[in-house]
Amino acid sequence: TRGGNVLARLTQTIDDDTSWSLQSYYDHTYRSFESIGLAEDRDTVDVDFQHRSSPWLDHSLIWGVGYRYNQDELDNVPLFVSFTPAERDYDLISGFIQDEITLIDDTLTFTAGSKFEHNDFTGFEFQPSVRVLWTPSETRSIWGAVSRAVRTPSRTEDDGRVTVPAVVPPGFFPVFSGTRNSQSEDLVAYELGYREQFTEEFSLDTTVFFHDYNDVVGSTIGAPTFQLPEGPVLPLVANNENSAQTYGFEVASSWQIAPYWRTFGSYSFLRVVGVESHDPHNRFYLQSSWDITETVEFDAVLRYVDSVPNSAVNNYTAMDLRLSWEPADGMEVFVVGRNLLDRGHPEFFTSTDLPTAVTDVRREVFAGINLRF
């Protein structure tokens, strides 16, 4: 993997309620998967403008527009994956607007907005959301939200062809083919949250959610046929005929045990209904930050992740440690250790379409210096 990028941002604050920003970047990335001969050469240009103001009493309005241009070149591997065309240009034009309205000072706020975009895969998309925040006291708040989001098709789902490295009896190779008729996956999310600041040092956040997915990408099995270069194949054509639901909750807490010692912990539970799930049901996270002296800080993170259903990824526990020292203003020396409890473990399951679907995340230790000017 190699590449480079450059980013420029210009911001202007006019007054306490009005500001704007203009950002642009260019990115070039080259990735080569030598084990299968696949390579990707990609250039991305992005321009984004945002404006914040308070045009009316009790209103906080923010809006923006953006443009992104992508150009890719993909090396085809006939016996594994190919793209037609192998080179493609596509762009994304987007805009958004959001208004935060104070209905009752320091007590009740209503926020509504939407994102709009046009892309070369599915055309026009819109993603509205509404949110209500109720703060009955200085230490307690309750919020609820309903949002719509979409996931546009990937390059593979649109015009890729993937040969699954397995043989289906009586001797057919499954071959997945994308289609230009693919639609965006659609999500409507319902969320409800509660926050309590019990003391200045201790707070608790809880969130419950239900997500309803439609037009989920799947595949239609066609009649067995003979195609080159594989020979006998079982066609699998992309479609949007699936639906699914996810539900669960998350509990998070922060605790300032002492002026020099801060902790944060969370637990999340997730269930998937309607499609084959590759998401762990339970996750636990604990972080401790200890200021040993004014210039020396020690951080520790402990993570537990449940086994991933329908895959070879078992549950695991991982620990990360970081020790940093600031010998002078603007200078930091640090040493970091990640995944220290074992030599390596798999964390994520991608797809049975890939020959290396499960990859170990290895133990690593590194040091560095940060300089700030």
Coordinates of all heavy atoms in Angstrom, one line a residue, residues 78-84 151 153-166 173-180 182 185 216-222 227 230 233-240 242 351-354:
P78 N -8.9 -12.8 -14.0 CA -10.0 -13.5 -14.6 C -10.5 -14.7 -13.7 O -11.7 -14.9 -13.7 CB -9.4 -14.0 -15.9 CG -8.3 -13.0 -16.2 CD -7.8 -12.6 -14.9
L79 N -9.6 -15.4 -13.0 CA -10.1 -16.5 -12.3 C -10.5 -16.2 -10.9 O -10.8 -17.0 -10.1 CB -8.9 -17.6 -12.2 CG -8.8 -18.4 -13.5 CD1 -7.6 -19.3 -13.3 CD2 -10.0 -19.3 -13.7
F80 N -10.5 -14.9 -10.5 CA -11.0 -14.5 -9.2 C -11.9 -13.3 -9.2 O -13.1 -13.4 -8.9 CB -9.8 -14.2 -8.3 CG -10.2 -13.6 -6.9 CD1 -11.0 -14.4 -6.1 CD2 -9.8 -12.4 -6.5 CE1 -11.4 -13.9 -4.9 CE2 -10.2 -11.9 -5.3 CZ -11.0 -12.7 -4.5
V81 N -11.4 -12.1 -9.7 CA -12.3 -11.0 -9.7 C -12.0 -10.1 -10.9 O -10.8 -10.0 -11.3 CB -12.1 -10.1 -8.4 CG1 -10.7 -9.7 -8.2 CG2 -13.1 -8.9 -8.4
S82 N -13.0 -9.5 -11.5 CA -12.8 -8.6 -12.7 C -13.9 -7.6 -12.6 O -14.9 -7.8 -12.0 CB -12.9 -9.4 -14.0 OG -14.1 -10.1 -14.1
F83 N -13.6 -6.4 -13.3 CA -14.5 -5.3 -13.3 C -14.7 -4.9 -14.7 O -13.7 -4.8 -15.5 CB -14.0 -4.2 -12.4 CG -13.9 -4.5 -11.0 CD1 -12.7 -5.1 -10.5 CD2 -14.9 -4.2 -10.1 CE1 -12.6 -5.3 -9.1 CE2 -14.8 -4.5 -8.8 CZ -13.7 -5.1 -8.3
T84 N -15.9 -4.6 -15.1 CA -16.3 -4.0 -16.4 C -17.1 -2.8 -16.3 O -18.2 -2.8 -15.8 CB -17.1 -5.1 -17.2 OG1 -16.3 -6.3 -17.3 CG2 -17.3 -4.6 -18.6
R151 N -27.0 3.3 2.1 CA -25.7 2.8 1.7 C -25.7 2.5 0.2 O -26.4 1.6 -0.3 CB -25.3 1.5 2.4 CG -23.8 1.1 2.1 CD -23.5 -0.2 2.7 NE -24.1 -1.3 1.9 CZ -23.6 -1.8 0.8 NH1 -22.5 -1.4 0.3 NH2 -24.2 -2.8 0.2
P153 N -24.5 1.3 -3.5 CA -23.7 0.1 -3.9 C -22.2 0.3 -4.1 O -21.8 1.4 -4.4 CB -24.4 -0.3 -5.3 CG -25.7 0.4 -5.3 CD -25.5 1.7 -4.5
S154 N -21.5 -0.7 -3.8 CA -20.0 -0.6 -4.0 C -19.7 -0.9 -5.5 O -20.6 -1.3 -6.3 CB -19.3 -1.7 -3.2 OG -19.7 -3.0 -3.6
R155 N -18.5 -0.7 -5.8 CA -18.0 -0.9 -7.2 C -18.3 -2.4 -7.6 O -18.7 -2.7 -8.7 CB -16.5 -0.6 -7.3 CG -15.9 -0.7 -8.7 CD -16.2 0.6 -9.5 NE -15.1 0.8 -10.4 CZ -14.9 0.2 -11.6 NH1 -15.8 -0.7 -12.0 NH2 -13.9 0.5 -12.3
T156 N -18.0 -3.3 -6.7 CA -18.2 -4.7 -6.9 C -19.7 -5.1 -7.2 O -20.0 -5.8 -8.1 CB -17.7 -5.6 -5.8 OG1 -16.3 -5.3 -5.6 CG2 -17.8 -7.1 -6.1
E157 N -20.6 -4.5 -6.3 CA -22.0 -4.7 -6.5 C -22.6 -4.1 -7.7 O -23.6 -4.6 -8.2 CB -22.7 -4.2 -5.2 CG -22.4 -4.9 -4.0 CD -22.8 -4.1 -2.7 OE1 -23.1 -2.9 -2.9 OE2 -22.8 -4.7 -1.6
D158 N -21.9 -3.1 -8.3 CA -22.4 -2.5 -9.5 C -21.9 -3.1 -10.8 O -22.7 -3.4 -11.7 CB -22.0 -1.0 -9.4 CG -23.0 -0.1 -10.1 OD1 -24.2 -0.2 -9.9 OD2 -22.5 0.8 -10.9
D159 N -20.6 -3.4 -10.9 CA -20.1 -3.9 -12.1 C -18.9 -4.9 -11.9 O -18.0 -4.9 -12.7 CB -19.7 -2.8 -13.1 CG -18.9 -1.7 -12.5 OD1 -18.1 -2.0 -11.5 OD2 -19.0 -0.6 -12.9
G160 N -18.9 -5.6 -10.8 CA -17.8 -6.6 -10.6 C -18.3 -8.0 -10.9 O -19.5 -8.3 -11.0
R161 N -17.3 -8.9 -11.0 CA -17.5 -10.3 -11.2 C -16.5 -11.1 -10.3 O -15.3 -10.9 -10.5 CB -17.4 -10.7 -12.6 CG -17.7 -12.1 -13.0 CD -17.5 -12.4 -14.5 NE -18.0 -13.7 -14.8 CZ -17.2 -14.8 -14.8 NH1 -16.0 -14.7 -14.3 NH2 -17.7 -16.0 -15.1
V162 N -17.0 -11.8 -9.3 CA -16.2 -12.5 -8.4 C -16.4 -14.0 -8.4 O -17.6 -14.5 -8.3 CB -16.5 -12.0 -6.9 CG1 -15.6 -12.7 -5.9 CG2 -16.2 -10.5 -6.9
T163 N -15.4 -14.8 -8.6 CA -15.4 -16.2 -8.5 C -15.1 -16.7 -7.1 O -14.1 -16.4 -6.6 CB -14.4 -16.9 -9.5 OG1 -14.7 -16.4 -10.8 CG2 -14.5 -18.4 -9.4
V164 N -16.1 -17.4 -6.5 CA -15.9 -17.9 -5.1 C -14.9 -19.0 -5.2 O -15.1 -20.0 -5.9 CB -17.3 -18.3 -4.5 CG1 -17.1 -18.8 -3.1 CG2 -18.2 -17.1 -4.5
P165 N -13.9 -19.0 -4.3 CA -12.9 -20.1 -4.4 C -13.3 -21.3 -3.7 O -12.7 -21.8 -2.7 CB -11.7 -19.4 -3.7 CG -12.3 -18.5 -2.7 CD -13.5 -17.9 -3.4
A166 N -14.4 -21.9 -4.1 CA -15.0 -23.1 -3.6 C -15.8 -23.8 -4.6 O -16.3 -23.1 -5.6 CB -15.8 -22.8 -2.3
F173 N -18.5 -23.8 -9.9 CA -17.9 -22.6 -9.2 C -18.9 -21.6 -9.0 O -19.5 -21.1 -10.0 CB -16.7 -22.1 -10.0 CG -15.5 -22.9 -9.9 CD1 -15.2 -23.8 -10.9 CD2 -14.6 -22.8 -8.8 CE1 -14.0 -24.6 -10.8 CE2 -13.4 -23.6 -8.7 CZ -13.2 -24.5 -9.7
P174 N -19.3 -21.1 -7.8 CA -20.2 -20.0 -7.7 C -19.5 -18.7 -8.2 O -18.4 -18.4 -7.8 CB -20.5 -19.9 -6.2 CG -20.1 -21.2 -5.6 CD -19.0 -21.7 -6.5
V175 N -20.2 -17.9 -9.0 CA -19.7 -16.7 -9.6 C -20.7 -15.6 -9.3 O -21.9 -15.6 -9.8 CB -19.5 -16.8 -11.1 CG1 -19.0 -15.5 -11.7 CG2 -18.4 -17.9 -11.4
F176 N -20.3 -14.6 -8.5 CA -21.1 -13.4 -8.2 C -20.9 -12.3 -9.2 O -19.8 -12.0 -9.5 CB -20.8 -12.9 -6.8 CG -21.5 -11.6 -6.4 CD1 -22.8 -11.7 -5.9 CD2 -20.9 -10.4 -6.6 CE1 -23.4 -10.5 -5.6 CE2 -21.5 -9.2 -6.3 CZ -22.8 -9.3 -5.8
S177 N -22.0 -11.8 -9.7 CA -22.0 -10.7 -10.7 C -22.8 -9.5 -10.2 O -23.9 -9.7 -9.7 CB -22.5 -11.2 -12.0 OG -21.7 -12.2 -12.6
G178 N -22.2 -8.3 -10.3 CA -22.9 -7.1 -9.9 C -23.8 -6.7 -11.1 O -23.8 -7.3 -12.1
T179 N -24.7 -5.7 -10.8 CA -25.6 -5.3 -11.7 C -25.8 -3.8 -11.6 O -25.9 -3.2 -10.5 CB -27.0 -6.0 -11.6 OG1 -28.0 -5.4 -12.5 CG2 -27.5 -5.9 -10.2
R180 N -26.0 -3.1 -12.8 CA -26.2 -1.6 -12.7 C -27.6 -1.3 -12.3 O -28.0 -0.1 -12.1 CB -26.0 -1.1 -14.1 CG -24.5 -1.1 -14.6 CD -23.7 -0.1 -13.7 NE -22.3 -0.1 -14.1 CZ -21.8 0.8 -14.9 NH1 -22.5 1.7 -15.6 NH2 -20.5 0.7 -15.1
S182 N -28.7 -2.2 -9.3 CA -28.7 -2.2 -7.8 C -29.2 -0.9 -7.3 O -29.0 0.2 -7.8 CB -27.2 -2.4 -7.3 OG -26.8 -3.7 -7.7
E185 N -29.1 0.4 -0.2 CA -29.7 -0.2 1.0 C -30.3 1.0 1.9 O -29.7 2.0 2.0 CB -28.7 -0.9 1.8 CG -28.2 -2.2 1.1 CD -27.2 -3.0 2.0 OE1 -26.6 -2.4 2.9 OE2 -27.1 -4.2 1.7
V216 N -31.8 -4.7 1.3 CA -30.5 -5.2 1.6 C -29.9 -6.0 0.5 O -30.6 -6.8 -0.1 CB -30.5 -6.0 2.9 CG1 -29.2 -6.6 3.2 CG2 -31.0 -5.1 4.1
V217 N -28.7 -5.8 0.2 CA -28.0 -6.5 -1.0 C -27.9 -8.0 -0.7 O -27.4 -8.4 0.4 CB -26.7 -5.9 -1.3 CG1 -25.9 -6.7 -2.3 CG2 -26.8 -4.5 -1.8
G218 N -28.3 -8.8 -1.6 CA -28.2 -10.2 -1.6 C -27.9 -10.7 -3.0 O -27.3 -10.0 -3.8
S219 N -28.2 -12.0 -3.3 CA -27.9 -12.5 -4.6 C -29.0 -13.5 -5.0 O -29.6 -14.2 -4.2 CB -26.6 -13.1 -4.7 OG -26.5 -14.2 -3.8
T220 N -29.3 -13.5 -6.3 CA -30.3 -14.5 -6.9 C -29.5 -15.6 -7.6 O -28.5 -15.3 -8.3 CB -31.2 -13.8 -7.9 OG1 -31.9 -12.8 -7.3 CG2 -32.1 -14.8 -8.5
I221 N -29.8 -16.8 -7.3 CA -29.1 -18.0 -7.8 C -29.7 -18.3 -9.2 O -30.9 -18.5 -9.3 CB -29.2 -19.2 -6.9 CG1 -28.6 -18.9 -5.5 CG2 -28.5 -20.4 -7.5 CD1 -28.7 -20.0 -4.5
G222 N -28.9 -18.3 -10.2 CA -29.3 -18.6 -11.6 C -29.1 -20.1 -11.9 O -28.6 -20.9 -11.1
Q227 N -19.2 -21.3 -18.4 CA -18.6 -20.0 -18.7 C -17.1 -20.1 -18.6 O -16.5 -20.9 -17.9 CB -19.0 -18.9 -17.7 CG -20.5 -18.6 -17.8 CD -20.9 -17.5 -16.8 OE1 -20.1 -16.8 -16.2 NE2 -22.2 -17.3 -16.6
E230 N -13.8 -20.3 -15.9 CA -14.0 -21.2 -14.8 C -14.4 -22.6 -15.3 O -14.0 -23.6 -14.8 CB -15.0 -20.7 -13.8 CG -14.6 -19.5 -13.1 CD -15.0 -18.2 -13.8 OE1 -15.6 -18.3 -14.9 OE2 -14.8 -17.1 -13.3
V233 N -20.2 -23.2 -13.9 CA -20.4 -22.1 -12.8 C -21.9 -22.1 -12.4 O -22.8 -22.5 -13.1 CB -20.0 -20.7 -13.3 CG1 -18.6 -20.7 -13.8 CG2 -20.9 -20.2 -14.4
L234 N -22.0 -21.6 -11.2 CA -23.4 -21.4 -10.6 C -23.5 -19.9 -10.5 O -22.9 -19.2 -9.6 CB -23.5 -22.0 -9.2 CG -24.9 -21.9 -8.6 CD1 -25.9 -22.7 -9.4 CD2 -24.8 -22.4 -7.1
P235 N -24.3 -19.2 -11.3 CA -24.4 -17.7 -11.3 C -25.1 -17.2 -10.1 O -26.1 -17.7 -9.7 CB -25.2 -17.4 -12.6 CG -25.1 -18.6 -13.4 CD -25.1 -19.8 -12.4
L236 N -24.5 -16.2 -9.5 CA -25.2 -15.4 -8.4 C -25.2 -14.0 -8.8 O -24.2 -13.3 -8.9 CB -24.3 -15.6 -7.1 CG -24.0 -17.0 -6.6 CD1 -23.1 -17.0 -5.4 CD2 -25.3 -17.7 -6.2
V237 N -26.4 -13.4 -9.0 CA -26.6 -12.1 -9.5 C -27.1 -11.2 -8.3 O -28.0 -11.5 -7.6 CB -27.6 -12.0 -10.6 CG1 -27.7 -10.6 -11.1 CG2 -27.1 -12.9 -11.8
A238 N -26.4 -10.0 -8.1 CA -26.8 -9.1 -7.0 C -28.2 -8.7 -7.1 O -28.7 -8.4 -8.2 CB -25.9 -7.9 -7.0
N239 N -28.9 -8.6 -6.0 CA -30.3 -8.0 -5.9 C -30.4 -7.2 -4.6 O -29.5 -7.2 -3.8 CB -31.3 -9.1 -6.1 CG -31.2 -10.1 -4.9 OD1 -31.0 -9.8 -3.8 ND2 -31.5 -11.4 -5.2
N240 N -31.6 -6.6 -4.5 CA -31.9 -5.9 -3.3 C -33.2 -6.4 -2.7 O -34.1 -5.7 -2.3 CB -32.1 -4.4 -3.6 CG -30.9 -3.7 -4.0 OD1 -30.6 -3.6 -5.2 ND2 -30.1 -3.2 -3.0
N242 N -33.6 -8.4 0.1 CA -33.5 -8.8 1.5 C -33.9 -7.6 2.4 O -33.9 -6.5 2.0 CB -32.1 -9.2 1.9 CG -31.7 -10.5 1.2 OD1 -32.5 -11.4 1.0 ND2 -30.5 -10.6 0.7
S351 N -16.0 -11.8 4.1 CA -16.9 -12.5 3.1 C -16.3 -13.8 2.7 O -15.1 -13.9 2.5 CB -17.1 -11.6 1.9 OG -17.8 -12.3 0.9
T352 N -17.2 -14.8 2.5 CA -16.7 -16.1 2.0 C -16.3 -16.0 0.5 O -15.8 -16.9 0.0 CB -17.9 -17.1 2.1 OG1 -19.0 -16.6 1.5 CG2 -18.2 -17.4 3.6
D353 N -16.5 -14.8 -0.1 CA -16.1 -14.6 -1.5 C -14.6 -14.4 -1.6 O -14.0 -14.5 -2.7 CB -16.8 -13.4 -2.1 CG -18.3 -13.6 -2.2 OD1 -18.7 -14.7 -2.1 OD2 -19.0 -12.6 -2.4
L354 N -13.9 -14.1 -0.5 CA -12.5 -13.8 -0.5 C -11.7 -15.0 0.0 O -12.1 -15.6 1.0 CB -12.2 -12.6 0.4 CG -12.9 -11.3 -0.1 CD1 -12.6 -10.2 0.9 CD2 -12.6 -10.9 -1.5

